[in-house]
Amino acid sequence: MCGRRTKCHFSPLELVLIALLVLMTAVTVALLILYFVARECRPSNGKAYLFSSVLCDSLGKGTVGRQSVPAALLQRPQLSKGEQMKHTQIFSHGVISASNQDKPSPTQQPSTVGSGNYLLGVGRADCTGPVAEIPLMGYANPGQVGGGLLTRLYSRAFIVAEPDDSRRVVFVSIDIGMVSQRLRLEVLKELKSKYGELYRRDNVILSGTHTHSGPGGYFQYTLFWITSQGLIKPNLNAIVKGIVKSIDIAHQNMKKGRIFINRGTVESSQINRSPYSYLQNPASERSRYSSNTDKEMVMLKMVDEDGQDLGLISWFAVHPVSMNNTNHLVNSDNVGYASLLFEQEKNEGMLPGEGSFVAAFASSNLGDVSPNTKGPFCVNTGESCDNPQSTCPVGGASMCMAMGPGIDMFDSTRIIAQNIFLKAKDLYASSSQELRGPLRSAHQWVNMSDVQVQLNATHKVKTCKPALGHSFAAGTIDGVGAFNFTQGSVEGDPFWDEIRDQLLGEPSNETKACHEPKPILFSTGEMTRPHPWHPDIVDVQIATIGSLAIVAVPGEFTTMSGRRLREAVKSEFGSHGTAGMDVVIAGLCNVYTHYIATYEEYQVQRYEAASTIYGPHTLSAYIQLYRGLANAIATNTVQDLPSGPEPPLFNITSLTLVPAVVTDRTPLNKTFGDVLQEVRQQYLVGEVAEVTFVGANPRNSAENMTEHNFLTVERYANVSGTWQVVRNDASWDTRFHWTKGSSGRSNVTIEWHIPSGTEPGSYRIRYFGHYRRLPKQFYPFEGTSAEFGITSL
């Protein structure tokens, strides 16, 4: 033994024995810890479930001891082959779910400050594209072309990665009508060139908000060329660029953070626009729900590890058609305005489109859900046209339109946006349930024209080649069609059928029989010139974030269709030990296939059913397919899923009927930007300041890929003696109107609807544009109004 004041000297043998003893003790303790933790992580039935514990998650993945990736490495643009293999191998593991023990008590408000459960990144980028002369996508009204700008369109990206960066999920909500297959494929191509295999078809979800006021022309299938006047490359390029840029921004700003989920009811913001279709669903099923629309909003709140706000994603079922088919100003409609309201509140002092906080109000199962809450009325007589065919005694179906809740479409857009913004704000502030657990994703391409569906033990059915029924041409109470087509048509019209047969060809007997009772107007699945009219190959995809499953659907599910799909996915997870999953439907994702009505709704052939292009068993096919994805995730067998037939990417360089932009010219003795009609000297809050300039075609800016504001409203600051921008062209209360004249001449009128709360003072309005001299030569210019004063009431 060593004395108190003497040094201890151990022999080499003793030192070895001491080291071994310490090592064995450490190993023993570690094994005991792993043993008891594994027991806690393993359910009694031996099935996989969503572990909420980070250590349990590591055990389930076989990643104990893996160190976190340094933040600097998260920004690398390209992965090495070895790193790509690591991501591919890790992807094969399945989903597990957070236990109820990890959910905070509803009466407790946990702190949002703490160690992050995920790596989070958010990004927003402009994707507006050309705002003039391009047909707007949504109402299929060839006369509805862009003539200016109300609010800009944005792509909002959200990246969630596991703490060790082994898996990622990307959700992107874009202010466009829907995601087309060509758009999806081009975005994935761009991402692969930048990031290798980090962002792929299985873990990237692209979702359109479904605004009907965005420019079209970004499709490769022939049917969508009819009303979009072809493939319009400047708009396609602008959307691709915006989506990729938003993901780039999110990727570059990854940080540790936490996600909270909340849900609540939104009132006075929607009606079912096909209530007679909804009533065809079984009474026993309808009795389980208090409404014929889904009123629940589901919201994700994202904060960093210090509790600082990063962003939110909200899913709520409502059609962005508050702006009707007489509108010619590009804008993001009600859900887009709700995004701007939330972002402006969080990005205090910033202009719209600026600031780090990103808020997405994404689409869900909105197929039969209208924001026009006053319901359908005959625009010529004022009487109700709430009947199975949505027709008026005088004027027929073309006179039946839904309106409200405001006095005009701008007011209605504002009211619906305020409603969903205020609900999201309340849910954001009160969110308490934290999402924990690993990330998983599963994806397949499927030939939806030929899916065998097992209805029960004895009955099989199949889907059909795409076709649209007669009621498709009738439109809806949100945007009526033309001629004498009506909703609810279960018989064809000999006049229109004869014209179809002569111009496009008669549908085959097989297709007719497959789609019964739909009378086929366009047998698009049998029409292939100049390219196929509708897609056969469709994406199906699910991504999970802990106990949340995001079901990405390629179209517009009706209310009851969405409910059945959510229940089926939830049940599939539950049958494999993952009970209690939150399931949300993300609409209009990855490729557009019109509507998905229930089998019962299909029988009465209103617009949504006539637009269910793969036949009466479309919903059953999707339920079967998404059950398969959920099963693969829950049982750790995603790697066994066949990828399916890859969709085509047609070689189309330019095919459009949109007129070319001619050389811009000015009136005699005028230059671009000169004022033609000046503002008044004085305005009151609530009035409209208006000025008209000598303009140029706004398409010049888009075709030149120039990102700039078309307008600013500026206030003179007496203290600094400078003009400060207080509004831009993304602001809700500014409007940019372009009027085309003859011989290359055009005017621009800018309105500022002066809102309450505007500070008294001196203001001016400025206009920025580009004029074209030769086909590829663009020159910037600007114009400025006279100063004007604003006084309060």
Side-chain angles (χ1 to χ4, degrees):
M1 178 178 291
C2 300
R4 180 180 299 178
R5 296 182 181 274
T6 61
K7 294 183 180 180
C8 296
H9 296 282
F10 297 100
S11 68
L13 179 59
E14 289 174 323
L15 289 173
V16 171
L17 291 175
I18 291 171
L20 287 174
L21 178 61
V22 172
L23 179 61
M24 291 175 63
T25 302
V27 171
T28 302
V29 171
L31 289 174
L32 287 172
I33 291 173
L34 291 175
Y35 172 76
F36 286 107
V37 170
R39 285 187 58 187
E40 292 298 318
C41 294
R42 188 182 302 116
S44 59
N45 60 7
K47 296 179 179 178
Y49 65 97
L50 285 177
F51 301 132
S52 60
S53 163
V54 175
L55 182 55
C56 291
D57 176 27
S58 299
L59 286 170
K61 296 182 298 185
T63 58
V64 174
R66 182 186 293 134
Q67 296 180 351
S68 298
V69 177
L73 293 182
L74 299 180
Q75 301 180 18
R76 62 185 183 276
Q78 185 77 32
L79 294 178
S80 67
K81 289 184 178 180
E83 289 167 326
Q84 292 174 16
M85 288 179 63
K86 182 184 76 171
H87 279 275
T88 304
Q89 292 165 352
I90 291 172
F91 166 71
S92 68
H93 293 277
V95 155
I96 34 191
S97 160
S99 67
N100 292 329
Q101 294 174 350
D102 289 317
K103 296 180 181 179
S105 169
T107 60
Q108 297 175 341
Q109 183 70 20
S111 170
T112 57
V113 180
S115 60
N117 294 315
Y118 299 107
L119 296 171
L120 304 177
V122 301
R124 177 187 54 249
D126 186 279
C127 63
T128 304
V131 302
E133 298 187 297
I134 306 301
L136 302 186
M137 185 67 210
Y139 289 112
N141 180 356
Q144 189 187 17
V145 297
L149 184 66
L150 174 59
T151 59
R152 285 197 166 269
L153 310 180
Y154 294 99
S155 172
R156 295 175 170 90
F158 303 82
I159 302 176
V160 183
E162 292 186 346
D164 61 1
D165 195 33
S166 57
R167 301 179 186 87
R168 293 189 174 202
V169 168
V170 184
F171 182 83
V172 187
S173 178
I174 313 122
D175 288 330
I176 55 176
M178 60 285 290
V179 176
S180 75
Q181 189 171 80
R182 186 179 188 92
L183 178 62
R184 161 92 162 165
L185 293 175
E186 293 207 7
V187 167
L188 291 176
K189 180 181 177 182
E190 288 290 316
L191 292 175
K192 185 171 183 178
S193 69
K194 282 192 169 190
Y195 300 103
E197 296 301 316
L198 188 60
Y199 300 120
R200 312 171 301 272
R201 61 180 174 84
D202 62 273
N203 67 357
V204 174
I205 297 174
L206 303 182
S207 174
T209 63
H210 203 38
T211 175
H212 285 44
S213 297
Y218 54 94
F219 292 80
Q220 67 175 6
Y221 290 98
T222 303
L223 178 77
F224 305 109
W225 292 355
I226 305 289
T227 54
S228 294
Q229 299 182 25
L231 179 71
I232 303 170
K233 292 288 284 187
N235 192 42
L236 173 64
N237 293 340
I239 301 173
V240 171
K241 179 182 176 183
I243 293 171
V244 173
K245 184 176 179 180
S246 69
I247 294 174
D248 287 341
I249 294 170
H251 177 88
Q252 293 160 9
N253 290 284
M254 298 285 286
K255 59 182 65 177
K256 290 182 179 180
R258 305 169 73 184
I259 303 176
F260 296 85
I261 185 170
N262 205 356
R263 58 192 65 74
T265 301
V266 182
E267 299 290 353
S268 306
S269 299
Q270 49 170 211
I271 60 170
N272 192 306
R273 71 184 187 190
S274 283
Y276 296 94
S277 295
Y278 181 87
L279 288 173
Q280 304 307 307
N281 295 304
S284 59
E285 183 179 30
R286 288 185 281 111
S287 66
R288 296 166 48 203
Y289 304 99
S290 60
S291 172
N292 60 5
T293 61
D294 281 339
K295 295 181 179 296
E296 184 177 72
M297 173 185 287
V298 178
M299 185 222 64
L300 298 185
K301 172 182 180 178
M302 298 182 180
V303 298
D304 67 17
E305 61 181 340
D306 297 321
Q308 297 299 308
D309 296 321
L310 296 177
L312 77 85
I313 310 173
S314 160
W315 289 277
F316 176 62
V318 66
H319 248 89
V321 289
S322 292
M323 300 295 293
N324 62 42
N325 63 7
T326 66
N327 167 61
H328 293 275
L329 297 181
V330 169
N331 69 88
S332 53
D333 213 282
N334 45 43
V335 293
Y337 184 30
S339 290
L340 292 179
L341 287 171
F342 211 117
E343 288 174 347
Q344 284 192 269
E345 176 154 311
K346 290 294 183 180
N347 298 315
E348 190 174 359
M350 298 286 188
L351 292 168
E354 298 178 356
S356 61
F357 186 90
V358 180
F361 284 75
S363 59
S364 190
N365 56 317
L366 48 69
D368 53 0
V369 185
S370 169
N372 296 305
T373 54
K374 291 181 180 178
F377 289 86
C378 300
V379 295
N380 51 354
T381 66
E383 60 187 308
S384 173
C385 50
D386 187 9
N387 55 64
Q389 281 72 46
S390 297
T391 58
C392 295
V394 179
S398 62
M399 291 290 108
C400 184
M401 286 284 292
M403 303 177 187
I407 59 175
D408 60 24
M409 59 182 171
F410 296 94
D411 193 36
S412 294
T413 302
R414 178 190 61 80
I415 293 171
I416 299 300
Q418 286 276 0
N419 287 350
I420 58 180
F421 155 67
L422 290 174
K423 174 52 67 174
K425 181 179 177 180
D426 176 62
L427 294 177
Y428 193 90
S430 61
S431 59
S432 61
Q433 179 183 337
E434 186 170 3
L435 285 182
R436 298 178 181 178
L439 309 176
R440 302 292 187 272
S441 56
H443 170 278
Q444 282 184 300
W445 284 308
V446 179
N447 183 356
M448 278 300 294
S449 298
D450 188 24
V451 177
Q452 300 288 330
V453 183
Q454 189 76 45
L455 290 181
N456 53 45
T458 58
H459 288 79
K460 281 186 179 181
V461 293
K462 68 180 293 294
T463 54
C464 315
K465 291 182 179 180
L468 291 162
H470 275 248
S471 294
F472 161 77
T476 74
I477 60 173
D478 290 327
V480 297
F483 306 109
N484 62 336
F485 292 97
T486 60
Q487 295 198 65
S489 296
V490 292
E491 293 183 0
D493 184 301
F495 173 76
W496 292 112
D497 287 348
E498 179 63 25
I499 292 178
R500 174 206 62 204
D501 294 348
Q502 294 299 320
L503 294 178
L504 303 172
E506 183 179 1
S508 67
N509 290 333
E510 178 186 4
T511 299
K512 288 180 181 178
C514 190
H515 280 271
E516 287 184 351
K518 176 196 292 179
I520 294 176
L521 180 62
F522 300 121
S523 183
T524 54
E526 299 175 313
M527 298 157 64
T528 59
R529 295 182 180 178
H531 293 284
W533 281 48
H534 262 147
D536 289 320
I537 310 305
V538 172
D539 297 67
V540 292
Q541 183 179 17
I542 294 179
T544 61
I545 305 173
S547 58
L548 172 70
I550 302 172
V551 180
V553 299
E556 305 178 55
F557 276 61
T558 63
T559 297
M560 195 62 85
S561 292
R563 288 169 175 170
R564 290 183 187 177
L565 179 60
R566 280 199 302 264
E567 287 190 353
V569 171
K570 189 179 183 75
S571 173
E572 190 66 34
F573 277 114
S575 68
H576 296 281
T578 60
M581 290 286 286
D582 284 300
V583 179
V584 297
I585 301 233
L588 300 123
C589 293
N590 302 333
V591 58
Y592 185 60
T593 64
H594 296 267
Y595 286 75
I596 298 90
T598 69
Y599 177 83
E600 294 83 359
E601 292 164 354
Y602 190 90
Q603 305 308 305
V604 294
Q605 282 296 297
R606 280 179 61 86
Y607 174 81
E608 294 81 13
S611 305
T612 299
I613 62 175
Y614 299 113
H617 302 292
T618 300
L619 175 60
S620 296
Y622 277 126
I623 288 175
Q624 179 175 287
L625 290 166
Y626 283 101
R627 272 189 175 274
L629 296 182
N631 179 287
I633 289 174
T635 59
N636 300 340
T637 57
V638 171
Q639 73 277 8
D640 297 331
L641 283 173
S643 61
E646 190 167 341
L649 182 62
F650 303 134
N651 184 22
I652 309 167
T653 54
S654 180
L655 181 61
T656 179
L657 299 177
V658 174
V661 180
V662 300
T663 299
D664 294 289
R665 291 186 171 86
T666 64
L668 188 64
N669 298 323
K670 295 288 185 181
T671 61
F672 294 103
D674 281 356
V675 175
L676 296 175
Q677 181 177 333
E678 192 58 272
V679 294
R680 302 201 316 258
Q681 289 185 345
Q682 201 73 29
Y683 292 92
L684 294 173
V685 169
E687 293 186 318
V688 180
E690 182 177 312
V691 58
T692 300
F693 298 94
V694 175
N697 196 319
R699 285 172 57 190
N700 295 334
S701 300
E703 294 189 17
N704 194 31
M705 296 302 288
T706 303
E707 293 185 18
H708 80 293
N709 283 299
F710 286 111
L711 68 92
T712 58
V713 178
E714 301 175 359
R715 182 177 185 272
Y716 187 74
N718 292 314
V719 174
S720 62
T722 59
W723 289 94
Q724 297 179 347
V725 177
V726 295
R727 294 290 189 277
N728 60 17
D729 63 7
S731 300
W732 171 255
D733 43 46
T734 61
R735 297 176 191 174
F736 175 85
H737 299 271
W738 178 73
T739 304
K740 185 177 183 179
S742 60
S743 303
R745 296 182 177 90
S746 62
N747 295 342
V748 162
T749 298
I750 296 174
E751 300 175 4
W752 180 31
H753 294 243
I754 305 169
S756 61
T758 300
E759 294 184 29
S762 296
Y763 291 81
R764 68 183 186 184
I765 296 173
R766 303 185 71 193
Y767 162 45
F768 306 90
H770 291 80
Y771 67 87
R772 179 192 303 245
R773 278 294 181 238
L774 295 174
K776 295 297 182 180
Q777 291 185 355
F778 305 92
Y779 301 91
F781 69 91
E782 60 185 65
T784 305
S785 76
E787 295 181 30
F788 58 92
I790 293 179
T791 57
S792 58
L793 292 173

